[in-house]
Amino acid sequence: MIKNELQYKRSRLLVIEIEHALSLLPGDNEFKSLHPKAKKAHENGLKRQLFQIKQELSEYDSLRRGNFDFGKLPEIEQIPRWLIQARIARGLGQEDLAKQQIQNYESTDYASASLSRIMQIAQVLSINEKDAS
């Protein structure tokens, strides 16, 4: 999951790099010398990675446009991801929530955050308001 603008920018660059690498494969002598199954595995691995990154970029773009169901409560293990998505959908950067140490919490998927802290962050994000969207 892309959690901030820096990761987003890095992911966009990675897409370009992978697409470039895929375009060079047919002319690469080392690639040509591989067993056909190894070639297929290598190419498929790059394509899977590219697909996953593009999905994450698409999700982040959607969240930045505010597309997020603030009324849907997640399973307990999904709360960290949900809070990150809510922050992005609200148009807030991690720096906007620095007083709650959001960068530290997100980097560890809220492992060190108490329930009361998570509730405070949810309140800042207006998650509990029915008309929040």
Side-chain angles (χ1 to χ4, degrees):
M1 175 183 183
I2 297 172
K3 298 178 182 179
N4 56 53
E5 287 297 313
L6 180 61
Q7 289 178 356
Y8 179 82
K9 288 175 185 175
R10 287 179 178 163
S11 294
R12 287 187 60 195
L13 288 174
L14 191 54
V15 164
I16 293 167
E17 290 173 10
I18 294 171
E19 287 175 338
H20 182 68
L22 282 167
S23 74
L24 295 177
L25 284 181
D28 184 90
N29 289 332
E30 190 175 334
F31 180 73
K32 287 179 186 178
S33 70
L34 293 175
H35 185 277
K37 286 184 180 182
K39 283 191 217 180
K40 185 86 169 156
H42 182 68
E43 188 173 1
N44 285 344
L46 286 173
K47 286 179 179 179
R48 276 192 303 274
Q49 186 179 14
L50 182 62
F51 178 77
Q52 181 181 350
I53 295 168
K54 284 184 173 184
Q55 279 189 307
E56 290 177 8
L57 287 166
S58 177
E59 176 188 45
Y60 193 82
D61 284 332
S62 179
L63 288 167
R64 284 185 4 198
R65 289 190 301 273
N67 297 326
F68 182 76
D69 186 357
F70 287 93
K72 183 180 174 189
L73 292 175
E75 297 293 324
I76 193 78
E77 65 274 358
Q78 292 298 315
I79 289 174
R81 180 181 181 91
W82 193 67
L83 288 171
I84 294 166
Q85 291 174 332
R87 176 187 53 75
I88 296 166
R90 284 280 186 238
L92 300 172
Q94 291 175 329
E95 62 279 357
D96 296 321
L97 298 177
K99 290 182 182 175
Q100 276 95 10
Q101 299 177 331
I102 200 70
Q103 287 177 304
N104 293 333
Y105 291 143
E106 286 188 3
S107 70
T108 63
D109 285 336
Y110 289 85
S112 63
S114 67
L115 182 56
S116 64
R117 179 62 70 194
I118 291 172
M119 290 170 57
Q120 287 173 341
I121 293 168
Q123 185 177 19
V124 169
L125 296 172
S126 303
I127 289 172
N128 295 325
E129 296 178 12
K130 293 201 188 268
D131 61 347
S133 58

